[in-house]
Amino acid sequence: MNYPIPASPQEVAALRQKPVDEELVAAAIAGVIKISRSQGKSLEQLTAEVLADDRLLDIQQRRWLKDVVTQAWESLA
């Protein structure tokens, strides 16, 4: 992977300056999982945040992202 896994919210936010590709998205997801675990959050708490209504993704996209986050959480265990 060309991007290190972010270890802080600031490092995740810094990814916005990079061109978006599959590896960047994977690094961002892995970073969010790493940070969530370090904060003591459960997978259920994280997926609830992913499913929360926002103006960026529609419900179908949020459900797809929830599935991706769940698979990544289990893979990074």
Side-chain angles (χ1 to χ4, degrees), residues 52-59 61-62 65:
D53 192 19
D54 66 23
R55 294 182 180 139
L56 185 62
L57 302 174
D58 64 33
I59 187 62
Q61 292 168 322
R62 291 193 308 271
L65 183 57

Side-chain angles (χ1 to χ4, degrees), residues 7-57:
S8 70
Q10 295 80 11
E11 290 179 11
V12 172
L15 293 177
R16 293 180 184 169
Q17 306 305 316
K18 309 283 185 192
V20 177
D21 63 13
E22 293 171 350
E23 290 189 13
L24 179 76
V25 173
I29 291 170
V32 168
I33 290 169
K34 181 177 182 178
I35 294 164
S36 295
R37 284 182 172 159
S38 73
Q39 294 173 343
K41 290 183 183 176
S42 67
L43 174 59
E44 291 75 24
Q45 290 169 313
L46 180 56
T47 56
E49 290 177 16
V50 170
L51 289 173
D53 192 19
D54 66 23
R55 294 182 180 139
L56 185 62
L57 302 174

